Amino acid sequence: MLHLKRQLPYRPTERMNVVSYPIRDIVMEAKREEAKGKKMIYLNIGDPPQYGFQSFKVIADRVKSALDENWQGYAPSEGDDQFRMTVAKIEKCRPEDVFAVAGLTEGIDFFFHSFIGFGEKVLLPNPVYPLYLSKAKQFEGDSVFYRHDANGQIDIEYLAKKVEGAKAMVIINPNNPLGSVYSEKNLSEVVKICAEYDVPIFYDGSYDRLILEGRYIDFRKIARGKVPFIYGSSLSKDFSYPGARIGWVAFHGDKWSELKNAFFLLCNQRLSVNWEYQKAAAAAIVDPSYLTYITDMKDKLLQRRNTFVKMAEKLPLSFPVPKGAFYAFIKIETRKWKKDIEFVRAALKEGVVFVPGSGFGRQEDGVYFRTTFLPEPKIIEEAFAKIKRIL
Ligand SMILES: Cc1ncc(COP(=O)(O)O)c(C=O)c1O
């Protein structure tokens, strides 16, 4: 028998070329600098526990008791009954409209997998959380971008020109990376346009409760009965527990029956989401002590945001002041830097890790980078003092 000798090293497939996650990809370079003895300040990732934020304690407590109760098997693929019922109450939909996912990351993956076909147009914000870019490429959709005005609101006139023929529109609110929080008026206008052109909405509410200025607006109330939408959220940010890997998507409106079947198939394929964490999520999202928890978290965040703004405003940088979540998307206002990655690498040499703006799909009109303002004020001050040297 003829044995062909394969060429080594083994090479990944062509389809790997579309896979990227710039928020973490930059860490490899940072680690190389760290290995040389450089102290690094990581401002690349929105991971609250890394910066001293305590996860909502009810989750860990309930995980422990759920393990004692032996919730260690495969959970139902679509999610634990109690979890789905609890989420359904918040969503004001039926439990069968809710799916448990391993972080909203998985919900986004399933959404693109099941709904966005080859060449189909999906409307994304620009700048956008990078996973959406990667998923649109992986499933060969056609990403079309809408933009924001100087106040970080969705530019309605521009959207109206882009919306026709879209299979879906993605809204991230509060927004990562901009930190903007859309007003009720802005969201109502978006819903009106989507209803007119029959474009359903995928609403990413990962940072729902993290509104630092202004009040929480329930998108479901604005959109219900006007346009079909899918609402997604998770425990990662609002409950400071990204490691739980628990989130949900809820289908709203009566046009989703086939898509829900598709979601079932995708859920079956990956068997289940950790059962003990679903039990914990069901307890956490309706626990009355959450109000105090989230108020404390927002107070801390506001203080950190204010320090960040004070530091950054002294430098040749411009950005919409973040009103929600914990990021800022910053434009460099000097001519020194022509490429974001060159600036980000220079910042690495100074010991600060940012994400290049192009990772969020933004590069045409300047040099941008994204930072988080999660660390305590003295670390933010230290980081911005360091980059002052290279601007
Ligand atoms: C806008 C947005 N959506 C979704 C996610 C995914 O979060 P998770 O999978 O932890 O729920 C993130 C994480 O940073 C995010 O910023």
Side-chain angles (χ1 to χ4, degrees), residues 21 23 46 102-106 108 129 131-132 172 174-176 204 206-207 233-237 242 245-247 327 370:
Y21 191 70
I23 295 168
L104 189 55
T105 298
E106 191 179 60
I108 296 167
Y129 176 59
L131 184 65
Y132 289 97
I172 306 170
N175 185 273
N176 174 10
D204 181 330
S206 295
Y207 300 87
S233 196
S234 85
L235 295 191
S236 299
K237 316 292 177 171
R245 308 312 302 133
I246 290 288
Y327 310 100
R370 190 200 73 167

Side-chain angles (χ1 to χ4, degrees), residues 181-390:
V181 176
Y182 304 137
S183 69
E184 187 166 0
K185 178 169 174 280
N186 197 229
L187 288 171
S188 305
E189 284 169 340
V190 171
V191 164
K192 195 164 164 238
I193 291 180
C194 285
E196 194 179 326
Y197 287 89
D198 198 15
V199 176
I201 292 170
F202 184 92
Y203 190 90
D204 181 330
S206 295
Y207 300 87
D208 250 357
R209 299 289 157 182
L210 297 173
I211 294 172
L212 307 179
E213 264 180 46
R215 65 185 177 93
Y216 169 73
I217 287 155
D218 190 350
F219 176 77
R220 305 166 188 100
K221 281 193 188 152
I222 298 176
R224 189 170 288 121
K226 298 201 177 78
V227 69
F229 62 100
I230 300 174
Y231 202 101
S233 196
S234 85
L235 295 191
S236 299
K237 316 292 177 171
D238 285 359
F239 294 79
S240 290
Y241 207 146
R245 308 312 302 133
I246 290 288
W248 70 85
V249 291
F251 288 84
H252 293 262
D254 54 10
K255 291 193 178 172
W256 293 117
S257 55
E258 285 185 42
L259 203 71
K260 280 192 287 180
N261 284 338
F263 253 68
F264 258 111
L265 295 178
L266 291 168
C267 288
N268 280 344
Q269 228 181 29
R270 64 83 165 102
L271 298 178
S272 84
V273 178
N274 299 350
W275 213 334
E276 71 277 22
Y277 276 95
Q278 294 190 65
K279 291 290 180 197
I285 57 184
V286 287
D287 193 279
S289 67
Y290 182 69
L291 195 61
T292 323
Y293 172 82
I294 195 68
T295 310
D296 286 352
M297 182 174 180
K298 287 199 297 186
D299 285 350
K300 245 192 204 173
L301 273 177
L302 195 60
Q303 192 200 8
R304 294 173 189 202
R305 188 218 49 183
N306 291 346
T307 306
F308 153 75
V309 171
K310 210 169 79 204
M311 290 301 289
E313 276 180 353
K314 290 185 200 148
L315 302 173
L317 303 170
S318 67
F319 54 92
V321 171
K323 297 194 163 63
F326 33 64
Y327 310 100
F329 195 68
I330 304 179
K331 186 175 186 186
I332 301 177
E333 296 290 358
T334 55
R335 286 168 190 270
K336 183 170 167 193
W337 298 103
K338 303 276 179 280
K339 288 204 173 124
D340 56 0
I341 188 66
E342 286 167 7
F343 167 75
V344 167
R345 289 200 171 119
L348 277 185
K349 298 259 181 248
E350 296 296 324
V352 187
V353 189
F354 294 125
V355 188
S358 52
F360 299 81
R362 187 64 164 270
Q363 50 198 351
E364 74 284 7
D365 66 333
V367 176
Y368 290 84
F369 66 96
R370 190 200 73 167
T371 185
T372 176
F373 52 81
L374 275 169
E376 52 189 281
K378 77 174 190 326
I379 296 179
I380 296 171
E381 278 168 4
E382 201 187 318
F384 280 84
K386 279 173 191 259
I387 65 153
K388 191 175 174 182
R389 295 199 273 269
I390 57 169

